[in-house]
């Protein structure tokens, strides 16, 4: 009988290697902390003022309130220049009383 001879070619054998998997990252649950929401406070009405040429941040500007016609001196905020606008709180409208009338008294 002929002697056993290995085949002339051989196929590469696959070597099973374990996949490299990073260790799991532990998930730390933070306890829920109650954060009270600040009470709703309505914002006072405002009006927009457009900064004229020649006026810049930190400078005073005289404006007229649209609701009362009252003249107000405001300071232009930092970062606001000519042609830009900023908001100014509107003054409270004062109740006008007729001659001889007195405002109501609250006790």
């Amino acid at each position: 009988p002929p002697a056993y001879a290995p085949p002339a070619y051989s196929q590469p054998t696959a070597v099973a290697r374990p996949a490299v998997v990073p260790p799991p990252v532990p998930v730390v649950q933070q306890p829920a902390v109650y954060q009270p929401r600040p009470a709703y406070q309505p914002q006072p009405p405002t009006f927009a003022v457009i900064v004229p040429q020649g006026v810049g941040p930190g400078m005073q500007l005289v404006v007229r309130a649209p609701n009362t016609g009252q003249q107000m001196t405001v300071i232009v905020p930092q970062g606001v220049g000519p042609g830009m606008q900023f908001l100014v709180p509107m003054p409270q409208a004062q109740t006008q009383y007729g001659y001889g009338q007195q405002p109501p008294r609250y006790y």
Side-chain angles (χ1 to χ4, degrees), residues 36-48:
R37 297 176 81 183
Y40 172 74
Q41 295 180 356
Q43 296 298 315
T46 58
F47 64 98

Side-chain angles (χ1 to χ4, degrees), residues 43-49 63 65-67 72 74 86-92:
Q43 296 298 315
T46 58
F47 64 98
V49 173
V63 298
N67 63 335
M72 305 168 55
V74 296
F86 64 98
L87 296 177
V88 175
M90 216 172 280
Q92 295 287 335

Side-chain angles (χ1 to χ4, degrees), residues 68-95:
T68 63
Q70 174 185 348
Q71 283 193 342
M72 305 168 55
T73 301
V74 296
I75 296 176
V76 178
Q78 292 299 317
V80 180
M84 299 173 74
Q85 68 179 16
F86 64 98
L87 296 177
V88 175
M90 216 172 280
Q92 295 287 335
Q94 295 182 358
T95 305

